[in-house]
Amino acid sequence: MSGLKPVTVPDVRAAKGQTPLVMVTAYDAPTARIADDAGVDLILVGDSVAMVVLGYDDTLQVTIEDMAHHTAAVARTHPRALVVGDLPWMSYHQGANDAVGNAAKLIRAGAKSVKLEGGAKRVPVIGAIVDAEIPVMGHLGLTPQSVHALGGFKVQGRTAEAARLLIADARALVEAGVFAIVLECVPDDVATLVTEAVPVPTIGIGAGSTCDGQVLVMHDLLGLEDRVTPRFVRRYAEMKSDGVEAVARYAADVRARTFPGPNEGYRLPGDAAEELGLYGGSGHASMSA
Ligand code: KIV
C-alpha cells in the first residue's frame, strides 16, 4: 500500500486479496519511526511489549495504562501507518462497558483502531466497541493472553474440528464488524481456508504466505530479542549482538582513556584559560563550540 497519505481502516479493508499488507509492532517513538520510515502499512502497539520490552514472561502483566503509555509514544511520531492499539488481558473481559471505556483510552492515546483476542465469545464486546465508532481488529489461533488455558504457546487449529472452529470464529468476528483478523500460529492450509472464508484481510504470523498480510514483532525481526526465535521469525538484522559489540568497544575505550577524544568535549575560551593560568592562554575552542 504505497503513497504518502495516512493509511486508513477502509484502505486496510480494501487490501483484501491485493498486495500483502505489512504490519510490525512498535512500542515507542524510535521503533515507530523505524517502522514508518520503512513504509509499513500498520503499526501494532502490541501487548508483546510485556515480553520484549518490559521483561515479563508473558503478556498478562501489562495494563490498559501501560498500553496507553506506549500507544501515545508511538502516536506522537504521527506515522503514516495505521496505529492499532492492543487491548491487554482483562481490559475487555468484564463486560462491554468496560471494554468500550478501555478501547477509548487507546484511541485517546492516539491509536486509530484496537485489537483484541478471541473468537465467537467476543462478539458482544466487539459489537459494542464498533458501535462506539472504534474499528476493531480480531486475533485468532494462538492467542497469547490465553497461554494458561491453551497450556503454553502452541500451534492451534491442528485437527479438522479445530480448523472448522477457527473458520466459524473468523466468520463470527466478521459479523461483529472487525476490519481485519490476525491469525497466529496455525497451519498454512488452515490459514488459507480462513482467508478464503472471510471478506476482510487476514494478517498472519506463523500462518503461511497465503494470508492477506504479515505481522512480526519488531524486536524479533531486528534481532534485538535473541533469547527465543520461533520458527516463523525471519531476522533481518542482528541488533542485539551489534549492540553488545558496540557497548563493549565503548567500555574498552573508556578504560583505555581513548574516549572522549580531544574533539569530543569542550575547552575554555583563551581569555578564561589565561586567567586561570591554563595552557598558556592560547588557541582553544570555546565552551559553546
Ligand atoms: O502483541 C503482539 O505483538 C501481537 C502480534 C504477535 C500479533 O499480538
Side-chain angles (χ1 to χ4, degrees):
M1 197 182 296
S2 59
L4 292 174
K5 285 198 321 204
V7 178
T8 65
V9 166
D11 292 336
V12 172
R13 273 183 190 277
K16 175 81 187 172
Q18 307 293 315
T19 305
L21 290 160
V22 182
M23 182 159 86
V24 68
T25 65
Y27 315 103
D28 53 20
T31 50
R33 288 196 188 100
I34 290 173
D36 212 47
D37 289 359
V40 306
D41 303 310
L42 301 104
I43 293 176
L44 170 65
V45 188
D47 62 357
S48 51
V49 68
M51 298 171 78
V52 297
V53 175
L54 302 178
Y56 294 116
D57 291 334
D58 56 44
T59 61
L60 306 179
Q61 310 305 327
V62 283
T63 64
I64 191 69
E65 283 72 29
D66 295 326
M67 295 309 301
H69 174 80
H70 287 278
T71 300
V74 166
R76 272 182 219 118
T77 68
H78 302 292
R80 171 189 165 271
L82 185 81
V83 176
V84 185
D86 215 0
L87 284 167
W89 180 61
M90 289 311 281
S91 69
Y92 55 94
H93 303 69
Q94 300 185 97
N97 279 350
D98 197 40
V100 173
N102 285 325
K105 286 184 186 167
L106 297 189
I107 298 298
R108 290 208 165 117
K112 301 285 196 298
S113 59
V114 299
K115 176 171 83 59
L116 58 77
E117 298 181 2
K121 66 182 171 191
R122 301 287 176 232
V123 162
V125 156
I126 294 172
I129 299 174
V130 170
D131 274 355
E133 314 302 342
I134 299 174
V136 178
M137 177 180 283
H139 184 157
L140 294 173
L142 170 55
T143 45
Q145 292 171 15
S146 322
V147 58
H148 299 312
L150 297 175
F153 297 107
K154 294 180 180 163
V155 179
Q156 302 297 305
R158 297 186 92 162
T159 63
E161 194 192 340
R164 276 195 283 270
L165 194 60
L166 265 177
I167 294 168
D169 276 339
R171 289 192 169 127
L173 295 190
V174 170
E175 278 296 301
V178 299
F179 70 95
I181 300 173
V182 168
L183 286 179
E184 179 164 355
C185 283
V186 298
D188 298 7
D189 291 336
V190 174
T192 304
L193 290 174
V194 174
T195 299
E196 286 170 354
V198 293
V200 300
T202 55
I203 303 182
I205 175 163
S209 62
T210 61
C211 292
D212 300 297
Q214 297 292 327
V215 54
L216 278 180
V217 167
M218 173 73 83
H219 290 52
D220 288 339
L221 89 82
L222 293 183
L224 264 171
E225 173 56 76
D226 68 348
R227 292 167 303 171
V228 195
T229 309
R231 123 171 18 190
F232 56 77
V233 168
R234 187 178 293 177
R235 272 205 217 156
Y236 290 88
E238 297 296 341
M239 287 182 66
K240 166 76 188 306
S241 51
D242 287 354
V244 170
E245 195 201 315
V247 175
R249 281 174 35 220
Y250 160 67
D253 287 353
V254 169
R255 290 178 184 132
R257 293 198 187 279
T258 57
F259 176 83
N263 297 321
E264 290 165 322
Y266 306 95
R267 298 288 182 95
L268 276 174
D271 51 350
E274 193 172 353
E275 202 178 319
L276 292 168
L278 297 169
Y279 326 127
S282 64
H284 293 291
S286 80
M287 284 284 280
S288 58

